[in-house]
Amino acid sequence: MIIEDGVVAGNAFDKYHSRNPIERWMVNAFMAAVRELALSTGAKEVLEVGCGEGEVARMIAAAGLRVRATDFSSQVIDVARAQTTTPNVSYDVVAVEDLRPERDASPLVMSIEVLEHVKDPETALSTLATLARPWVLVSVPREPLWRALNMARGKYVRAWGNTPGHLNHWSTAGFQRLVEKNFQVVAVRTPLPWTIVLARVVQ
């Protein structure tokens, strides 16, 4: 786990490379849903905000899209760069509040497993709305199922199953309502135990 400026950066638990067959099945279903929704937009260029170690960026790039991936953490960007050989991915150290539409706007803006970590998710989504031309793809853990599953596997018991660094918690309906404050929701997927929302800026 990487902690930078007092914030958990990247994955507290490396779910993408788990040897547990159930965890692998869940992550594969999650990644497939993210890929399906991203490709459904027809976008050829993507800005990923909060890319962590770059797992999603590499998957999307492997599907033929050009990806610019950003994160506030220089440490986690170093890890992402070291693990990336795909030529159509680039990485930049940029915090979400420092993103600017004149420089960073993209046909598809992705923020996958990020909003649960930020202190002000409404402001973060408002920023994404200024960048999306017109698509945004966002995901969060589905609560209370996420914490219940952590408890069932004996993880973070003292925190009632809350993963380190998770500040916000939404049900699928609650997260959809949050997204609808800035976007028109087009599709929702709920691979266990996540909520993924594809939406577009209302013109």
Side-chain angles (χ1 to χ4, degrees), residues 11-186:
N11 294 302
F13 166 68
D14 187 5
K15 56 184 175 286
Y16 296 103
H17 301 106
S18 172
R19 295 183 178 181
N20 183 298
I22 296 175
E23 290 172 351
R24 285 204 309 270
W25 171 78
M26 290 192 294
V27 170
N28 288 342
F30 169 73
M31 295 289 270
V34 170
R35 183 181 185 277
E36 175 226 333
L37 290 174
L39 294 179
S40 75
T41 67
K44 301 302 181 184
E45 297 183 2
V46 180
L47 171 70
E48 186 184 4
V49 179
C51 65
E53 293 87 351
E55 297 287 347
V56 173
R58 289 189 290 275
M59 175 190 68
I60 295 299
L65 283 69
R66 188 165 60 194
V67 182
R68 179 184 173 217
T70 65
D71 202 285
F72 84 95
S73 168
S74 60
Q75 295 180 66
V76 83
I77 287 291
D78 285 345
V79 172
R81 284 176 175 151
Q83 295 178 352
T84 299
T85 57
T86 311
N88 50 329
V89 181
S90 63
Y91 296 98
D92 290 305
V93 180
V94 187
V96 61
E97 58 268 20
D98 294 326
L99 293 165
R100 297 289 180 266
E102 62 272 15
R103 180 190 64 205
D104 303 307
S106 178
L108 171 60
V109 176
M110 298 175 57
S111 196
I112 304 299
E113 301 301 279
V114 173
L115 293 171
E116 66 270 23
H117 295 276
V118 302
K119 292 180 180 179
D120 188 346
E122 290 196 23
T123 297
L125 276 169
S126 295
T127 298
L128 298 185
T130 69
L131 303 171
R133 299 289 191 274
W135 295 103
V136 67
L137 182 59
V138 287
S139 77
V140 293
R142 183 166 20 129
E143 298 289 7
L145 182 59
W146 180 274
R147 282 176 290 180
L149 290 175
N150 275 338
M151 291 288 287
R153 65 192 186 99
K155 297 293 184 180
Y156 320 124
V157 174
R158 291 185 178 181
W160 295 100
N162 189 49
T163 302
H166 286 196
L167 307 179
N168 309 296
H169 309 89
W170 295 280
S171 66
T172 294
F175 186 59
Q176 183 171 336
R177 286 194 296 270
L178 178 69
V179 175
E180 285 172 342
K181 292 182 179 181
N182 288 281
F183 300 93
Q184 176 188 2
V185 171
V186 174

